[in-house]
Amino acid sequence: MSPARGATYGLEDACESTSFAFDGADDLDGRDLWSMPAAHAARSVGVLMQEQQAGFEFTVAETVALGRTPHLGFFDRLTCTDQAAIAEALDRTGLTPYAQRRVGRLSGGERQRVLLARALAGEPRLLILDEPTNHLDVRHQLDILELVRDLGVTVLAALHSLDLAAAYADTVLRDGRLVAHGPATDVLMESTIGEVFEVDATVHDVGGRPGFALRPPLRVP
């Protein structure tokens, strides 16, 4: 996989364990991720899982600093380079004013941003998000995806919402196999949605992007 920097790839209805497979192998720029040393892979790929927990007694800054772990030896201390990466991750996610606040005192949307900042602190080239909007209300769903879209990092995200995929993904894939590939306006068509999700779908234009009305398929007795 040679992802375009800053592109967002949406995985629709992704399987429970998020993965990405191209040509039978999980690879980054032609190198098999599974053959890389774990620390090297962790420096290249940042991951935000849907059930990931943050230590509630840690401060925001302490939690984000954990993202530098792949860059450190066993007894290494944080260097100026590490501190700069942590500060940048806090800034990019709007968390600098919260740096000394306990994670347990934050809202769900703010904690999700902390975990995103932790992934960004590792300076990954590819960011994998497993249902990043899970358990968030509508406003925080939009906030986190707006933030992710503007990061300038290639993103592979598992999303269960057609509307969110249409609004934020540059390319839409589906559930371990390539059903359709391309911009949401070309991929999320009524025939494709019906085939993949086994529903009756009506697609309409909403400000230049597709919107959806979904119904159970009509079954003739």
Side-chain angles (χ1 to χ4, degrees), residues 25-76:
D26 294 334
D27 63 79
L28 184 66
D29 287 343
R31 294 191 61 189
D32 183 3
L33 284 173
W34 298 108
S35 67
M36 292 183 188
H40 183 85
R43 287 193 293 269
S44 300
V45 181
V47 179
L48 176 59
M49 302 300 292
Q50 60 172 300
E51 299 296 340
Q52 213 163 357
Q53 297 295 320
F56 283 5
E57 294 306 311
F58 285 10
T59 67
V60 170
E62 289 168 342
T63 302
V64 175
L66 293 173
R68 296 302 296 173
T69 301
H71 298 267
L72 301 174
F74 194 74
F75 295 107
D76 287 351

Side-chain angles (χ1 to χ4, degrees), residues 39-207:
H40 183 85
R43 287 193 293 269
S44 300
V45 181
V47 179
L48 176 59
M49 302 300 292
Q50 60 172 300
E51 299 296 340
Q52 213 163 357
Q53 297 295 320
F56 283 5
E57 294 306 311
F58 285 10
T59 67
V60 170
E62 289 168 342
T63 302
V64 175
L66 293 173
R68 296 302 296 173
T69 301
H71 298 267
L72 301 174
F74 194 74
F75 295 107
D76 287 351
R77 294 180 179 272
L78 294 173
T79 66
C80 292
T81 299
D82 297 318
Q83 296 288 2
I86 294 164
E88 182 179 2
L90 289 168
D91 181 63
R92 294 172 80 184
T93 52
L95 290 171
T96 301
Y98 300 84
Q100 299 310 315
R101 192 173 297 185
R102 300 286 178 188
V103 172
R105 295 183 177 272
L106 302 180
S107 69
E110 290 165 342
R111 286 198 295 271
Q112 193 75 333
R113 276 196 286 152
V114 171
L115 296 175
L116 177 61
R118 183 176 69 182
L120 291 175
E123 301 177 300
R125 296 176 48 239
L126 175 65
L127 187 61
I128 298 177
L129 308 180
D130 183 13
E131 294 188 60
T133 58
N134 197 31
H135 305 313
L136 298 181
D137 61 31
V138 174
R139 170 61 188 275
H140 286 108
Q141 289 180 23
L142 298 177
D143 285 346
I144 199 75
L145 291 177
E146 288 282 346
L147 173 61
V148 166
R149 183 172 62 180
D150 294 336
L151 288 174
V153 175
T154 299
V155 177
L156 184 64
L159 300 169
H160 287 294
S161 167
L162 290 171
D163 292 297
L164 292 177
Y168 292 99
D170 302 304
T171 301
V172 181
L173 312 173
R174 205 266 178 186
D175 198 19
R177 61 189 178 95
L178 183 59
V179 173
H181 178 278
T185 51
D186 296 338
V187 168
L188 297 176
M189 298 182 296
E190 293 175 0
S191 58
T192 306
I193 294 170
E195 174 189 350
V196 171
F197 296 101
E198 299 180 346
V199 297
D200 289 334
T202 301
V203 180
H204 52 276
D205 182 83
V206 181

